[in-house]
């Protein structure tokens, strides 16, 4: 797929490239990003170069992962957001926010735009969110973006060689008033005596 750029009231979501390497490297030095994400730690220049020049562009090229840099209109990087295709009609969202831009709603705004795009342009019927148990910031973004928390999966996340429990949630097209690419038949309502 050809990379796309999305815009919101305050943000530009666009594919990253070599011109963004220094900004990604600088933001990824934050200990919270390294702790709660699967980014390498320590995060070195070669990691940033590989990500911006190979991993992110390759994901767009083979339609396996759609990575957006989240920028202010002046070009300032506020974070990263990716949609990784997991199975037919299902994508998993992942994101991080640069320390100096947290608490301003940028990542929530970006998540809403990216999921809407996935539902309307990728034939995605389910976007999953997963985060290690305890990552309250990620959970707050997911909830604010409309995700429904579905539960806790034991030992379902591998972060730097350590198995960890994770929260899982989902967002469906119907949550945004959009049609599904495939019919959705929820289970019948339970009747209790």
């Amino acid at each position: 797929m050809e990379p796309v750029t999305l815009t919101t009231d305050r943000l530009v979501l666009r594919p990253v490239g070599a011109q963004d390497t220094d900004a990604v490297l600088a933001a990824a030095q934050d200990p919270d990003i390294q702790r709660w994400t699967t980014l390498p730690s320590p995060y070195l220049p070669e990691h940033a170069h590989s990500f911006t020049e190979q991993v992110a562009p390759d994901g767009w090229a083979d339609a396996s992962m759609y990575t957006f840099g989240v920028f202010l209109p002046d070009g300032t990087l506020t974070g990263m957001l990716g949609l990784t295709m997991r199975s037919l009609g299902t994508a998993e969202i992942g994101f991080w926010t640069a320390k100096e831009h947290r608490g301003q709603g940028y990542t929530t705004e970006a998540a809403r735009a990216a999921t809407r795009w996935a539902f309307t342009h990728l034939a995605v019927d389910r976007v999953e969110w997963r985060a290690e148990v305890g990552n309250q910031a990620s959970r707050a973004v997911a909830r604010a973006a409309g995700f429904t928390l579905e539960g806790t999966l034991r030992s379902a996340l591998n972060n730097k060689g350590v198995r960890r429990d994770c929260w899982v949630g989902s967002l469906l097209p119907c949550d945004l008033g959009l049609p599904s690419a495939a019919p959705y038949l929820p289970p019948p309502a339970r009747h209790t005596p």
Side-chain angles (χ1 to χ4, degrees), residues 12-181:
V12 176
L13 284 69
R14 65 164 175 78
V16 293
Q19 73 277 13
D20 304 306
T21 302
D22 291 342
V24 169
L25 178 63
Q29 297 311 304
D30 176 41
D32 286 335
I33 291 175
Q34 291 184 25
R35 163 61 182 93
W36 294 110
T37 71
T38 57
L39 267 64
S41 181
Y43 196 79
L44 305 173
E46 54 264 31
H47 297 128
H49 282 283
S50 174
F51 175 71
T52 60
E53 298 172 27
Q54 184 178 1
V55 174
D58 287 355
W60 280 96
D62 67 15
S64 63
M65 181 173 59
Y66 305 98
T67 302
F68 294 95
V70 182
F71 297 90
L72 296 176
D74 69 4
T76 301
L77 177 71
T78 68
M80 281 295 178
L81 183 145
L83 292 164
T84 303
M85 300 308 295
R86 294 293 182 205
S87 61
L88 182 63
T90 302
E92 182 179 336
I93 192 169
F95 44 77
W96 56 257
T97 308
K99 186 174 187 174
E100 61 274 17
H101 297 290
R102 293 182 188 141
Q104 300 178 54
Y106 293 141
T107 306
T108 299
E109 190 173 322
R112 288 177 181 151
T115 53
R116 182 172 288 278
W117 172 78
F119 291 143
T120 58
H121 290 84
L122 298 180
V124 165
D125 286 322
R126 177 181 168 87
V127 176
E128 291 185 353
W129 160 84
R130 294 175 186 233
E132 183 180 330
V133 170
N135 189 344
Q136 295 294 342
S138 183
R139 184 176 174 148
V141 168
R143 283 187 177 229
F147 282 76
T148 297
L149 187 62
E150 296 176 330
T152 301
L153 302 176
R154 297 183 312 142
S155 188
L157 188 78
N158 185 326
N159 190 351
K160 299 169 190 72
V162 178
R163 303 292 308 182
R164 301 172 188 270
D165 293 352
C166 75
W167 291 316
V168 63
S170 69
L171 188 68
L172 306 178
C174 60
D175 297 333
L176 303 179
L178 298 170
S180 294

